[in-house]
Amino acid sequence: MSDPDCIFCKIVAGQIPAKKVHEDEELLVFHDIHPWAPVHVLVIPKLHVATLYDVGPEHEALLGRMLALAPRLMRQLGVEDGFRTVVNTGRNGGQEVFHLHMHVLGGPRPWARG
Ligand code: 5GP
Ligand code: ZN
């Protein structure tokens, strides 16, 4: 359910501060600490799931909710002209934090990355 050594589990538990933009029973969204774009938030499940490789059928609805939340959040944050969603998976996928998260990036270009 939760991993005591995981930085995003600590954010979920309130042990590490984050600039939250959305919270519900299952999901938390906060601003990335090193944004690549003018608006860069991370959508995470509160449940500790390490990577997309660890997703099972029981997580399919959760993944759907993560994706469906993105356009609503972007509109709320003033991003009306398009955005990117990125899920890095595993070492070769460039994943650094092993708690499943979806980057949602938007705002005027150029961006720092991507
Ligand atoms: P990954 O490379 O795993 O897909 O992305 C992890 C992201 O988490 C990075 O963009 C990084 O800036 C962000 N991040 C890492 N630690 C923290 C933190 O303590 N707080 C916040 N808000 N973002 C973090
Ligand atoms: Zn975690």
Side-chain angles (χ1 to χ4, degrees):
M1 290 295 276
S2 137
D3 174 345
D5 298 324
C6 168
I7 194 160
F8 286 177
C9 283
K10 288 182 184 171
I11 288 176
V12 169
Q15 292 162 357
I16 291 179
K19 278 175 65 185
K20 294 181 189 176
V21 297
H22 172 91
E23 181 164 15
D24 61 43
E25 277 184 13
E26 291 183 311
L27 302 177
L28 183 64
V29 185
F30 50 92
H31 288 278
D32 196 291
I33 204 163
H34 294 127
W36 320 339
V39 177
H40 182 174
V41 298
L42 301 172
V43 180
I44 73 166
K46 288 186 168 176
L47 184 75
H48 181 85
V49 178
T51 83
L52 272 185
Y53 282 128
D54 303 292
V55 162
E58 70 275 25
H59 301 119
E60 285 174 4
L62 187 66
L63 287 176
R65 281 195 280 275
M66 288 170 66
L67 196 55
L69 187 57
R72 281 175 37 205
L73 289 172
M74 285 292 110
R75 283 214 173 92
Q76 277 171 27
L77 293 169
V79 176
E80 302 275 359
D81 208 19
F83 60 88
R84 285 183 75 188
T85 50
V86 176
V87 182
N88 296 324
T89 301
R91 195 164 55 88
N92 285 335
Q95 187 174 3
E96 288 173 5
V97 176
F98 282 75
H99 179 128
L100 181 66
H101 54 279
M102 182 172 72
H103 298 258
V104 188
L105 303 126
R109 287 175 180 267
W111 295 354
R113 285 171 67 186

